[in-house]
Amino acid sequence: MVHGHRLRLFHVVSNLILLGLCVSTKKTSDKSTSSNSVQCGSWIKNPNGGFFTSPNYPNKYPPDRECIYIIEAAPRQSIELYFDEKYSIEPSWECKFDHIEVRDGPFGFSTEIGRYCGQNIPPFITSSGRYLWIKFVADGELESIGFLARYNFIPVDLNKINTSLYEKSKKNSWLLPFHGTEHECIMYWISGIMT
């Protein structure tokens, strides 16, 4: 029973940490901003799927922005993410200036899926777990129309997760290959947070 209470406490603490990480930020600049400036970034948990956009989409996004979007699926689901055809981010070599960065997990240090900019629409993306972390960055020059991203949720193949967890357990000491219903749920929950 004590183990269950610790797991719930860990879940509450981790969610509080995630809430603190998902606060959207706006870089400061010397340029004046109006009182009705567009806020960007959010924690997205709509169970029916949906969409989110860069600020001012389909008009040009404002300069000096950094928006973080975290998409959370229900347990035993993963996320499909795709971008609308009307897409344009300032192009640059290796997307060093304006860009969209997508990570497979709930954190800015989760595994990077890709960094996108220019006129080419990013590829169709499927998460390995129940979170995607997306950051949109706009520097101080050359704004464009930005993006509209759509997402939906799909069931996760539990056989694929158990195989993946076993492989991770061989590489990482924090994850051990347990057997049994309760432990599989705990391992799956940890993999949803850690990946």
Side-chain angles (χ1 to χ4, degrees), residues 10-24 42-45 68-73 105-110 130-133 189 192-195:
F10 179 70
H11 183 68
V12 167
V13 170
S14 65
N15 281 335
L16 289 174
I17 291 169
L18 288 173
L19 283 171
L21 291 174
C22 80
V23 174
S24 63
S42 61
W43 186 306
I44 303 167
K45 296 169 78 168
I68 296 175
Y69 307 87
I70 299 173
I71 304 174
E72 179 182 355
F107 305 110
F109 57 81
S110 298
R130 56 185 287 219
Y131 295 97
L132 278 178
W133 184 90
W189 180 79
I193 293 295
M194 300 303 288
T195 57

PDB file of all heavy atoms in Angstrom, residues 10-24 42-45 68-73 105-110 130-133 189 192-195:
ATOM      1  N   PHE A  10       4.484  10.679  -6.493  1.00  0.00           N
ATOM      2  CA  PHE A  10       5.392  10.939  -7.606  1.00  0.00           C
ATOM      3  C   PHE A  10       4.623  11.501  -8.802  1.00  0.00           C
ATOM      4  O   PHE A  10       5.064  12.431  -9.454  1.00  0.00           O
ATOM      5  CB  PHE A  10       6.129   9.657  -8.002  1.00  0.00           C
ATOM      6  CG  PHE A  10       7.070   9.836  -9.148  1.00  0.00           C
ATOM      7  CD1 PHE A  10       8.248  10.561  -9.003  1.00  0.00           C
ATOM      8  CD2 PHE A  10       6.780   9.293 -10.395  1.00  0.00           C
ATOM      9  CE1 PHE A  10       9.106  10.735 -10.066  1.00  0.00           C
ATOM     10  CE2 PHE A  10       7.628   9.464 -11.457  1.00  0.00           C
ATOM     11  CZ  PHE A  10       8.805  10.192 -11.282  1.00  0.00           C
ATOM     12  N   HIS A  11       3.429  10.945  -9.070  1.00  0.00           N
ATOM     13  CA  HIS A  11       2.604  11.405 -10.187  1.00  0.00           C
ATOM     14  C   HIS A  11       2.181  12.859  -9.977  1.00  0.00           C
ATOM     15  O   HIS A  11       2.256  13.673 -10.895  1.00  0.00           O
ATOM     16  CB  HIS A  11       1.382  10.498 -10.336  1.00  0.00           C
ATOM     17  CG  HIS A  11       0.500  10.838 -11.486  1.00  0.00           C
ATOM     18  ND1 HIS A  11       0.903  10.672 -12.794  1.00  0.00           N
ATOM     19  CD2 HIS A  11      -0.748  11.349 -11.538  1.00  0.00           C
ATOM     20  CE1 HIS A  11      -0.071  11.070 -13.593  1.00  0.00           C
ATOM     21  NE2 HIS A  11      -1.082  11.488 -12.855  1.00  0.00           N
ATOM     22  N   VAL A  12       1.769  13.207  -8.754  1.00  0.00           N
ATOM     23  CA  VAL A  12       1.356  14.579  -8.454  1.00  0.00           C
ATOM     24  C   VAL A  12       2.533  15.534  -8.612  1.00  0.00           C
ATOM     25  O   VAL A  12       2.428  16.584  -9.250  1.00  0.00           O
ATOM     26  CB  VAL A  12       0.757  14.678  -7.026  1.00  0.00           C
ATOM     27  CG1 VAL A  12       0.612  16.124  -6.594  1.00  0.00           C
ATOM     28  CG2 VAL A  12      -0.573  13.960  -6.959  1.00  0.00           C
ATOM     29  N   VAL A  13       3.694  15.159  -8.050  1.00  0.00           N
ATOM     30  CA  VAL A  13       4.881  16.025  -8.141  1.00  0.00           C
ATOM     31  C   VAL A  13       5.315  16.192  -9.590  1.00  0.00           C
ATOM     32  O   VAL A  13       5.615  17.302 -10.032  1.00  0.00           O
ATOM     33  CB  VAL A  13       6.034  15.465  -7.278  1.00  0.00           C
ATOM     34  CG1 VAL A  13       7.332  16.193  -7.538  1.00  0.00           C
ATOM     35  CG2 VAL A  13       5.667  15.539  -5.805  1.00  0.00           C
ATOM     36  N   SER A  14       5.327  15.105 -10.354  1.00  0.00           N
ATOM     37  CA  SER A  14       5.743  15.217 -11.751  1.00  0.00           C
ATOM     38  C   SER A  14       4.790  16.095 -12.548  1.00  0.00           C
ATOM     39  O   SER A  14       5.207  16.873 -13.400  1.00  0.00           O
ATOM     40  CB  SER A  14       5.881  13.841 -12.408  1.00  0.00           C
ATOM     41  OG  SER A  14       4.625  13.199 -12.484  1.00  0.00           O
ATOM     42  N   ASN A  15       3.482  16.015 -12.278  1.00  0.00           N
ATOM     43  CA  ASN A  15       2.530  16.881 -12.970  1.00  0.00           C
ATOM     44  C   ASN A  15       2.730  18.339 -12.597  1.00  0.00           C
ATOM     45  O   ASN A  15       2.597  19.220 -13.437  1.00  0.00           O
ATOM     46  CB  ASN A  15       1.093  16.452 -12.681  1.00  0.00           C
ATOM     47  CG  ASN A  15       0.676  15.262 -13.516  1.00  0.00           C
ATOM     48  OD1 ASN A  15       1.216  15.037 -14.592  1.00  0.00           O
ATOM     49  ND2 ASN A  15      -0.272  14.493 -13.023  1.00  0.00           N
ATOM     50  N   LEU A  16       3.040  18.613 -11.337  1.00  0.00           N
ATOM     51  CA  LEU A  16       3.322  19.996 -10.938  1.00  0.00           C
ATOM     52  C   LEU A  16       4.558  20.525 -11.637  1.00  0.00           C
ATOM     53  O   LEU A  16       4.601  21.677 -12.074  1.00  0.00           O
ATOM     54  CB  LEU A  16       3.485  20.081  -9.416  1.00  0.00           C
ATOM     55  CG  LEU A  16       2.201  19.898  -8.601  1.00  0.00           C
ATOM     56  CD1 LEU A  16       2.523  19.851  -7.116  1.00  0.00           C
ATOM     57  CD2 LEU A  16       1.208  21.000  -8.904  1.00  0.00           C
ATOM     58  N   ILE A  17       5.579  19.682 -11.765  1.00  0.00           N
ATOM     59  CA  ILE A  17       6.785  20.093 -12.483  1.00  0.00           C
ATOM     60  C   ILE A  17       6.448  20.384 -13.939  1.00  0.00           C
ATOM     61  O   ILE A  17       6.863  21.387 -14.497  1.00  0.00           O
ATOM     62  CB  ILE A  17       7.881  19.008 -12.382  1.00  0.00           C
ATOM     63  CG1 ILE A  17       8.404  18.943 -10.937  1.00  0.00           C
ATOM     64  CG2 ILE A  17       9.024  19.293 -13.355  1.00  0.00           C
ATOM     65  CD1 ILE A  17       9.283  17.750 -10.662  1.00  0.00           C
ATOM     66  N   LEU A  18       5.657  19.502 -14.554  1.00  0.00           N
ATOM     67  CA  LEU A  18       5.272  19.702 -15.948  1.00  0.00           C
ATOM     68  C   LEU A  18       4.474  20.985 -16.109  1.00  0.00           C
ATOM     69  O   LEU A  18       4.643  21.724 -17.074  1.00  0.00           O
ATOM     70  CB  LEU A  18       4.459  18.520 -16.469  1.00  0.00           C
ATOM     71  CG  LEU A  18       5.232  17.240 -16.691  1.00  0.00           C
ATOM     72  CD1 LEU A  18       4.282  16.108 -17.037  1.00  0.00           C
ATOM     73  CD2 LEU A  18       6.284  17.404 -17.753  1.00  0.00           C
ATOM     74  N   LEU A  19       3.570  21.270 -15.155  1.00  0.00           N
ATOM     75  CA  LEU A  19       2.806  22.512 -15.240  1.00  0.00           C
ATOM     76  C   LEU A  19       3.725  23.718 -15.212  1.00  0.00           C
ATOM     77  O   LEU A  19       3.530  24.688 -15.926  1.00  0.00           O
ATOM     78  CB  LEU A  19       1.801  22.598 -14.087  1.00  0.00           C
ATOM     79  CG  LEU A  19       0.548  21.757 -14.244  1.00  0.00           C
ATOM     80  CD1 LEU A  19      -0.253  21.768 -12.947  1.00  0.00           C
ATOM     81  CD2 LEU A  19      -0.295  22.247 -15.388  1.00  0.00           C
ATOM     82  N   GLY A  20       4.766  23.670 -14.397  1.00  0.00           N
ATOM     83  CA  GLY A  20       5.720  24.767 -14.346  1.00  0.00           C
ATOM     84  C   GLY A  20       6.511  24.895 -15.627  1.00  0.00           C
ATOM     85  O   GLY A  20       6.843  25.998 -16.056  1.00  0.00           O
ATOM     86  N   LEU A  21       6.798  23.766 -16.286  1.00  0.00           N
ATOM     87  CA  LEU A  21       7.574  23.800 -17.515  1.00  0.00           C
ATOM     88  C   LEU A  21       6.767  24.270 -18.715  1.00  0.00           C
ATOM     89  O   LEU A  21       7.327  24.734 -19.699  1.00  0.00           O
ATOM     90  CB  LEU A  21       8.138  22.409 -17.822  1.00  0.00           C
ATOM     91  CG  LEU A  21       9.219  21.917 -16.881  1.00  0.00           C
ATOM     92  CD1 LEU A  21       9.571  20.482 -17.225  1.00  0.00           C
ATOM     93  CD2 LEU A  21      10.446  22.798 -16.940  1.00  0.00           C
ATOM     94  N   CYS A  22       5.442  24.149 -18.663  1.00  0.00           N
ATOM     95  CA  CYS A  22       4.654  24.453 -19.849  1.00  0.00           C
ATOM     96  C   CYS A  22       4.239  25.914 -19.925  1.00  0.00           C
ATOM     97  O   CYS A  22       3.547  26.300 -20.851  1.00  0.00           O
ATOM     98  CB  CYS A  22       3.426  23.555 -19.941  1.00  0.00           C
ATOM     99  SG  CYS A  22       2.077  24.083 -18.909  1.00  0.00           S
ATOM    100  N   VAL A  23       4.674  26.716 -18.968  1.00  0.00           N
ATOM    101  CA  VAL A  23       4.323  28.131 -19.023  1.00  0.00           C
ATOM    102  C   VAL A  23       4.965  28.729 -20.268  1.00  0.00           C
ATOM    103  O   VAL A  23       6.141  28.557 -20.518  1.00  0.00           O
ATOM    104  CB  VAL A  23       4.820  28.861 -17.760  1.00  0.00           C
ATOM    105  CG1 VAL A  23       4.595  30.346 -17.867  1.00  0.00           C
ATOM    106  CG2 VAL A  23       4.125  28.302 -16.534  1.00  0.00           C
ATOM    107  N   SER A  24       4.170  29.399 -21.064  1.00  0.00           N
ATOM    108  CA  SER A  24       4.718  29.995 -22.275  1.00  0.00           C
ATOM    109  C   SER A  24       5.551  31.200 -21.918  1.00  0.00           C
ATOM    110  O   SER A  24       5.314  31.877 -20.927  1.00  0.00           O
ATOM    111  CB  SER A  24       3.596  30.384 -23.234  1.00  0.00           C
ATOM    112  OG  SER A  24       2.795  31.362 -22.645  1.00  0.00           O
ATOM    113  N   SER A  42       0.697  26.396 -24.762  1.00  0.00           N
ATOM    114  CA  SER A  42      -0.331  25.863 -23.870  1.00  0.00           C
ATOM    115  C   SER A  42      -0.082  24.390 -23.609  1.00  0.00           C
ATOM    116  O   SER A  42       0.685  23.735 -24.300  1.00  0.00           O
ATOM    117  CB  SER A  42      -1.723  26.054 -24.469  1.00  0.00           C
ATOM    118  OG  SER A  42      -1.835  25.370 -25.693  1.00  0.00           O
ATOM    119  N   TRP A  43      -0.750  23.899 -22.582  1.00  0.00           N
ATOM    120  CA  TRP A  43      -0.784  22.462 -22.288  1.00  0.00           C
ATOM    121  C   TRP A  43      -2.090  21.958 -22.876  1.00  0.00           C
ATOM    122  O   TRP A  43      -3.165  22.411 -22.499  1.00  0.00           O
ATOM    123  CB  TRP A  43      -0.762  22.249 -20.787  1.00  0.00           C
ATOM    124  CG  TRP A  43      -0.645  20.803 -20.407  1.00  0.00           C
ATOM    125  CD1 TRP A  43      -1.438  19.770 -20.804  1.00  0.00           C
ATOM    126  CD2 TRP A  43       0.332  20.246 -19.551  1.00  0.00           C
ATOM    127  NE1 TRP A  43      -1.028  18.601 -20.247  1.00  0.00           N
ATOM    128  CE2 TRP A  43       0.059  18.859 -19.465  1.00  0.00           C
ATOM    129  CE3 TRP A  43       1.398  20.771 -18.830  1.00  0.00           C
ATOM    130  CZ2 TRP A  43       0.831  18.002 -18.683  1.00  0.00           C
ATOM    131  CZ3 TRP A  43       2.141  19.911 -18.059  1.00  0.00           C
ATOM    132  CH2 TRP A  43       1.869  18.540 -17.997  1.00  0.00           C
ATOM    133  N   ILE A  44      -2.015  21.020 -23.822  1.00  0.00           N
ATOM    134  CA  ILE A  44      -3.183  20.594 -24.583  1.00  0.00           C
ATOM    135  C   ILE A  44      -3.576  19.180 -24.159  1.00  0.00           C
ATOM    136  O   ILE A  44      -2.779  18.256 -24.269  1.00  0.00           O
ATOM    137  CB  ILE A  44      -2.874  20.634 -26.099  1.00  0.00           C
ATOM    138  CG1 ILE A  44      -2.430  22.041 -26.503  1.00  0.00           C
ATOM    139  CG2 ILE A  44      -4.076  20.172 -26.893  1.00  0.00           C
ATOM    140  CD1 ILE A  44      -1.811  22.121 -27.872  1.00  0.00           C
ATOM    141  N   LYS A  45      -4.808  19.033 -23.681  1.00  0.00           N
ATOM    142  CA  LYS A  45      -5.283  17.735 -23.208  1.00  0.00           C
ATOM    143  C   LYS A  45      -6.659  17.388 -23.766  1.00  0.00           C
ATOM    144  O   LYS A  45      -7.345  16.542 -23.217  1.00  0.00           O
ATOM    145  CB  LYS A  45      -5.350  17.752 -21.682  1.00  0.00           C
ATOM    146  CG  LYS A  45      -4.006  17.915 -21.018  1.00  0.00           C
ATOM    147  CD  LYS A  45      -4.120  18.205 -19.540  1.00  0.00           C
ATOM    148  CE  LYS A  45      -4.421  17.004 -18.739  1.00  0.00           C
ATOM    149  NZ  LYS A  45      -4.249  17.213 -17.289  1.00  0.00           N
ATOM    150  N   ILE A  68       5.690  27.338 -26.167  1.00  0.00           N
ATOM    151  CA  ILE A  68       5.832  25.906 -25.897  1.00  0.00           C
ATOM    152  C   ILE A  68       4.444  25.299 -25.765  1.00  0.00           C
ATOM    153  O   ILE A  68       3.619  25.763 -24.978  1.00  0.00           O
ATOM    154  CB  ILE A  68       6.666  25.658 -24.635  1.00  0.00           C
ATOM    155  CG1 ILE A  68       8.089  26.181 -24.858  1.00  0.00           C
ATOM    156  CG2 ILE A  68       6.679  24.170 -24.287  1.00  0.00           C
ATOM    157  CD1 ILE A  68       8.982  26.093 -23.650  1.00  0.00           C
ATOM    158  N   TYR A  69       4.210  24.259 -26.563  1.00  0.00           N
ATOM    159  CA  TYR A  69       2.955  23.526 -26.541  1.00  0.00           C
ATOM    160  C   TYR A  69       3.276  22.105 -26.078  1.00  0.00           C
ATOM    161  O   TYR A  69       4.178  21.474 -26.632  1.00  0.00           O
ATOM    162  CB  TYR A  69       2.329  23.457 -27.935  1.00  0.00           C
ATOM    163  CG  TYR A  69       2.165  24.802 -28.604  1.00  0.00           C
ATOM    164  CD1 TYR A  69       3.194  25.361 -29.362  1.00  0.00           C
ATOM    165  CD2 TYR A  69       0.973  25.517 -28.488  1.00  0.00           C
ATOM    166  CE1 TYR A  69       3.043  26.591 -29.977  1.00  0.00           C
ATOM    167  CE2 TYR A  69       0.819  26.752 -29.101  1.00  0.00           C
ATOM    168  CZ  TYR A  69       1.857  27.277 -29.841  1.00  0.00           C
ATOM    169  OH  TYR A  69       1.706  28.502 -30.457  1.00  0.00           O
ATOM    170  N   ILE A  70       2.557  21.617 -25.102  1.00  0.00           N
ATOM    171  CA  ILE A  70       2.719  20.232 -24.662  1.00  0.00           C
ATOM    172  C   ILE A  70       1.381  19.542 -24.897  1.00  0.00           C
ATOM    173  O   ILE A  70       0.354  19.972 -24.383  1.00  0.00           O
ATOM    174  CB  ILE A  70       3.117  20.141 -23.184  1.00  0.00           C
ATOM    175  CG1 ILE A  70       4.461  20.837 -22.959  1.00  0.00           C
ATOM    176  CG2 ILE A  70       3.194  18.671 -22.738  1.00  0.00           C
ATOM    177  CD1 ILE A  70       4.866  20.945 -21.511  1.00  0.00           C
ATOM    178  N   ILE A  71       1.423  18.479 -25.685  1.00  0.00           N
ATOM    179  CA  ILE A  71       0.214  17.702 -25.955  1.00  0.00           C
ATOM    180  C   ILE A  71       0.274  16.458 -25.082  1.00  0.00           C
ATOM    181  O   ILE A  71       1.286  15.760 -25.059  1.00  0.00           O
ATOM    182  CB  ILE A  71       0.100  17.298 -27.436  1.00  0.00           C
ATOM    183  CG1 ILE A  71       0.161  18.532 -28.336  1.00  0.00           C
ATOM    184  CG2 ILE A  71      -1.189  16.519 -27.676  1.00  0.00           C
ATOM    185  CD1 ILE A  71       0.204  18.201 -29.816  1.00  0.00           C
ATOM    186  N   GLU A  72      -0.816  16.197 -24.369  1.00  0.00           N
ATOM    187  CA  GLU A  72      -0.900  15.031 -23.491  1.00  0.00           C
ATOM    188  C   GLU A  72      -2.062  14.146 -23.927  1.00  0.00           C
ATOM    189  O   GLU A  72      -3.202  14.605 -23.999  1.00  0.00           O
ATOM    190  CB  GLU A  72      -1.099  15.463 -22.041  1.00  0.00           C
ATOM    191  CG  GLU A  72      -1.224  14.306 -21.084  1.00  0.00           C
ATOM    192  CD  GLU A  72      -1.480  14.734 -19.655  1.00  0.00           C
ATOM    193  OE1 GLU A  72      -1.480  15.954 -19.359  1.00  0.00           O
ATOM    194  OE2 GLU A  72      -1.703  13.837 -18.814  1.00  0.00           O
ATOM    195  N   ALA A  73      -1.753  12.899 -24.196  1.00  0.00           N
ATOM    196  CA  ALA A  73      -2.785  11.915 -24.526  1.00  0.00           C
ATOM    197  C   ALA A  73      -3.181  11.167 -23.258  1.00  0.00           C
ATOM    198  O   ALA A  73      -2.476  11.210 -22.247  1.00  0.00           O
ATOM    199  CB  ALA A  73      -2.254  10.929 -25.568  1.00  0.00           C
ATOM    200  N   GLY A 105       8.132  13.475 -25.947  1.00  0.00           N
ATOM    201  CA  GLY A 105       8.022  13.434 -24.497  1.00  0.00           C
ATOM    202  C   GLY A 105       7.540  14.777 -23.993  1.00  0.00           C
ATOM    203  O   GLY A 105       7.304  15.693 -24.780  1.00  0.00           O
ATOM    204  N   PRO A 106       7.437  14.937 -22.676  1.00  0.00           N
ATOM    205  CA  PRO A 106       6.858  16.161 -22.131  1.00  0.00           C
ATOM    206  C   PRO A 106       7.871  17.267 -21.819  1.00  0.00           C
ATOM    207  O   PRO A 106       7.491  18.317 -21.319  1.00  0.00           O
ATOM    208  CB  PRO A 106       6.201  15.671 -20.838  1.00  0.00           C
ATOM    209  CG  PRO A 106       7.072  14.546 -20.392  1.00  0.00           C
ATOM    210  CD  PRO A 106       7.545  13.886 -21.656  1.00  0.00           C
ATOM    211  N   PHE A 107       9.139  17.047 -22.092  1.00  0.00           N
ATOM    212  CA  PHE A 107      10.172  17.987 -21.665  1.00  0.00           C
ATOM    213  C   PHE A 107      10.999  18.536 -22.824  1.00  0.00           C
ATOM    214  O   PHE A 107      11.088  17.908 -23.880  1.00  0.00           O
ATOM    215  CB  PHE A 107      11.132  17.312 -20.677  1.00  0.00           C
ATOM    216  CG  PHE A 107      10.460  16.707 -19.490  1.00  0.00           C
ATOM    217  CD1 PHE A 107      10.394  15.333 -19.335  1.00  0.00           C
ATOM    218  CD2 PHE A 107       9.881  17.500 -18.522  1.00  0.00           C
ATOM    219  CE1 PHE A 107       9.787  14.764 -18.235  1.00  0.00           C
ATOM    220  CE2 PHE A 107       9.269  16.951 -17.405  1.00  0.00           C
ATOM    221  CZ  PHE A 107       9.224  15.572 -17.266  1.00  0.00           C
ATOM    222  N   GLY A 108      11.661  19.646 -22.574  1.00  0.00           N
ATOM    223  CA  GLY A 108      12.581  20.222 -23.548  1.00  0.00           C
ATOM    224  C   GLY A 108      13.843  19.398 -23.723  1.00  0.00           C
ATOM    225  O   GLY A 108      14.611  19.631 -24.651  1.00  0.00           O
ATOM    226  N   PHE A 109      14.054  18.419 -22.850  1.00  0.00           N
ATOM    227  CA  PHE A 109      15.209  17.529 -22.990  1.00  0.00           C
ATOM    228  C   PHE A 109      14.803  16.135 -23.470  1.00  0.00           C
ATOM    229  O   PHE A 109      15.634  15.239 -23.548  1.00  0.00           O
ATOM    230  CB  PHE A 109      16.007  17.441 -21.675  1.00  0.00           C
ATOM    231  CG  PHE A 109      15.199  16.984 -20.496  1.00  0.00           C
ATOM    232  CD1 PHE A 109      14.944  15.638 -20.278  1.00  0.00           C
ATOM    233  CD2 PHE A 109      14.698  17.897 -19.600  1.00  0.00           C
ATOM    234  CE1 PHE A 109      14.198  15.215 -19.184  1.00  0.00           C
ATOM    235  CE2 PHE A 109      13.957  17.489 -18.494  1.00  0.00           C
ATOM    236  CZ  PHE A 109      13.707  16.142 -18.287  1.00  0.00           C
ATOM    237  N   SER A 110      13.535  15.950 -23.799  1.00  0.00           N
ATOM    238  CA  SER A 110      13.086  14.677 -24.376  1.00  0.00           C
ATOM    239  C   SER A 110      13.739  14.496 -25.753  1.00  0.00           C
ATOM    240  O   SER A 110      14.248  15.449 -26.341  1.00  0.00           O
ATOM    241  CB  SER A 110      11.555  14.671 -24.519  1.00  0.00           C
ATOM    242  OG  SER A 110      10.924  14.791 -23.269  1.00  0.00           O
ATOM    243  N   ARG A 130       2.782   9.135 -24.541  1.00  0.00           N
ATOM    244  CA  ARG A 130       1.575   9.948 -24.466  1.00  0.00           C
ATOM    245  C   ARG A 130       1.820  11.443 -24.465  1.00  0.00           C
ATOM    246  O   ARG A 130       0.890  12.216 -24.239  1.00  0.00           O
ATOM    247  CB  ARG A 130       0.732   9.531 -23.274  1.00  0.00           C
ATOM    248  CG  ARG A 130       1.433   9.580 -21.931  1.00  0.00           C
ATOM    249  CD  ARG A 130       0.559   9.037 -20.837  1.00  0.00           C
ATOM    250  NE  ARG A 130      -0.490   9.963 -20.534  1.00  0.00           N
ATOM    251  CZ  ARG A 130      -0.939  10.211 -19.323  1.00  0.00           C
ATOM    252  NH1 ARG A 130      -0.419   9.615 -18.290  1.00  0.00           N
ATOM    253  NH2 ARG A 130      -1.913  11.067 -19.133  1.00  0.00           N
ATOM    254  N   TYR A 131       3.044  11.882 -24.730  1.00  0.00           N
ATOM    255  CA  TYR A 131       3.350  13.314 -24.753  1.00  0.00           C
ATOM    256  C   TYR A 131       4.133  13.714 -25.997  1.00  0.00           C
ATOM    257  O   TYR A 131       4.951  12.950 -26.498  1.00  0.00           O
ATOM    258  CB  TYR A 131       4.209  13.708 -23.538  1.00  0.00           C
ATOM    259  CG  TYR A 131       3.529  13.544 -22.214  1.00  0.00           C
ATOM    260  CD1 TYR A 131       3.735  12.404 -21.451  1.00  0.00           C
ATOM    261  CD2 TYR A 131       2.674  14.517 -21.715  1.00  0.00           C
ATOM    262  CE1 TYR A 131       3.116  12.245 -20.221  1.00  0.00           C
ATOM    263  CE2 TYR A 131       2.056  14.368 -20.485  1.00  0.00           C
ATOM    264  CZ  TYR A 131       2.281  13.231 -19.746  1.00  0.00           C
ATOM    265  OH  TYR A 131       1.663  13.080 -18.534  1.00  0.00           O
ATOM    266  N   LEU A 132       3.880  14.934 -26.460  1.00  0.00           N
ATOM    267  CA  LEU A 132       4.739  15.613 -27.429  1.00  0.00           C
ATOM    268  C   LEU A 132       5.002  17.012 -26.896  1.00  0.00           C
ATOM    269  O   LEU A 132       4.105  17.658 -26.341  1.00  0.00           O
ATOM    270  CB  LEU A 132       4.077  15.733 -28.811  1.00  0.00           C
ATOM    271  CG  LEU A 132       4.150  14.537 -29.742  1.00  0.00           C
ATOM    272  CD1 LEU A 132       3.390  14.840 -31.040  1.00  0.00           C
ATOM    273  CD2 LEU A 132       5.580  14.129 -30.051  1.00  0.00           C
ATOM    274  N   TRP A 133       6.231  17.478 -27.046  1.00  0.00           N
ATOM    275  CA  TRP A 133       6.656  18.814 -26.641  1.00  0.00           C
ATOM    276  C   TRP A 133       7.013  19.567 -27.922  1.00  0.00           C
ATOM    277  O   TRP A 133       7.839  19.094 -28.700  1.00  0.00           O
ATOM    278  CB  TRP A 133       7.863  18.692 -25.722  1.00  0.00           C
ATOM    279  CG  TRP A 133       8.400  19.944 -25.120  1.00  0.00           C
ATOM    280  CD1 TRP A 133       8.037  20.500 -23.937  1.00  0.00           C
ATOM    281  CD2 TRP A 133       9.450  20.775 -25.634  1.00  0.00           C
ATOM    282  NE1 TRP A 133       8.791  21.622 -23.682  1.00  0.00           N
ATOM    283  CE2 TRP A 133       9.663  21.816 -24.711  1.00  0.00           C
ATOM    284  CE3 TRP A 133      10.225  20.735 -26.791  1.00  0.00           C
ATOM    285  CZ2 TRP A 133      10.609  22.811 -24.908  1.00  0.00           C
ATOM    286  CZ3 TRP A 133      11.177  21.720 -26.984  1.00  0.00           C
ATOM    287  CH2 TRP A 133      11.358  22.743 -26.054  1.00  0.00           C
ATOM    288  N   TRP A 189       3.556   3.696 -17.252  1.00  0.00           N
ATOM    289  CA  TRP A 189       3.433   5.066 -16.784  1.00  0.00           C
ATOM    290  C   TRP A 189       4.796   5.744 -16.780  1.00  0.00           C
ATOM    291  O   TRP A 189       4.945   6.858 -17.234  1.00  0.00           O
ATOM    292  CB  TRP A 189       2.820   5.072 -15.379  1.00  0.00           C
ATOM    293  CG  TRP A 189       2.674   6.441 -14.833  1.00  0.00           C
ATOM    294  CD1 TRP A 189       1.694   7.341 -15.138  1.00  0.00           C
ATOM    295  CD2 TRP A 189       3.539   7.092 -13.920  1.00  0.00           C
ATOM    296  NE1 TRP A 189       1.899   8.503 -14.458  1.00  0.00           N
ATOM    297  CE2 TRP A 189       3.014   8.376 -13.701  1.00  0.00           C
ATOM    298  CE3 TRP A 189       4.698   6.710 -13.255  1.00  0.00           C
ATOM    299  CZ2 TRP A 189       3.623   9.276 -12.858  1.00  0.00           C
ATOM    300  CZ3 TRP A 189       5.293   7.616 -12.405  1.00  0.00           C
ATOM    301  CH2 TRP A 189       4.759   8.867 -12.215  1.00  0.00           C
ATOM    302  N   GLY A 192       5.816   6.616 -20.244  1.00  0.00           N
ATOM    303  CA  GLY A 192       5.088   7.793 -20.742  1.00  0.00           C
ATOM    304  C   GLY A 192       5.703   9.072 -20.259  1.00  0.00           C
ATOM    305  O   GLY A 192       5.739  10.067 -20.961  1.00  0.00           O
ATOM    306  N   ILE A 193       6.231   9.088 -19.037  1.00  0.00           N
ATOM    307  CA  ILE A 193       6.870  10.276 -18.490  1.00  0.00           C
ATOM    308  C   ILE A 193       8.290  10.418 -19.018  1.00  0.00           C
ATOM    309  O   ILE A 193       8.746  11.501 -19.366  1.00  0.00           O
ATOM    310  CB  ILE A 193       6.907  10.202 -16.940  1.00  0.00           C
ATOM    311  CG1 ILE A 193       5.503  10.287 -16.353  1.00  0.00           C
ATOM    312  CG2 ILE A 193       7.783  11.274 -16.338  1.00  0.00           C
ATOM    313  CD1 ILE A 193       4.818  11.613 -16.588  1.00  0.00           C
ATOM    314  N   MET A 194       9.020   9.314 -19.102  1.00  0.00           N
ATOM    315  CA  MET A 194      10.444   9.383 -19.423  1.00  0.00           C
ATOM    316  C   MET A 194      10.730   9.502 -20.914  1.00  0.00           C
ATOM    317  O   MET A 194      11.815   9.879 -21.296  1.00  0.00           O
ATOM    318  CB  MET A 194      11.175   8.144 -18.878  1.00  0.00           C
ATOM    319  CG  MET A 194      11.064   8.013 -17.359  1.00  0.00           C
ATOM    320  SD  MET A 194      11.668   9.448 -16.460  1.00  0.00           S
ATOM    321  CE  MET A 194      13.420   9.259 -16.719  1.00  0.00           C
ATOM    322  N   THR A 195       9.783   9.122 -21.766  1.00  0.00           N
ATOM    323  CA  THR A 195      10.069   9.192 -23.203  1.00  0.00           C
ATOM    324  C   THR A 195       9.360  10.353 -23.842  1.00  0.00           C
ATOM    325  O   THR A 195       8.502  10.942 -23.306  1.00  0.00           O
ATOM    326  CB  THR A 195       9.649   7.906 -23.933  1.00  0.00           C
ATOM    327  OG1 THR A 195       8.279   7.676 -23.707  1.00  0.00           O
ATOM    328  CG2 THR A 195      10.480   6.747 -23.454  1.00  0.00           C
TER     329      THR A 195
END
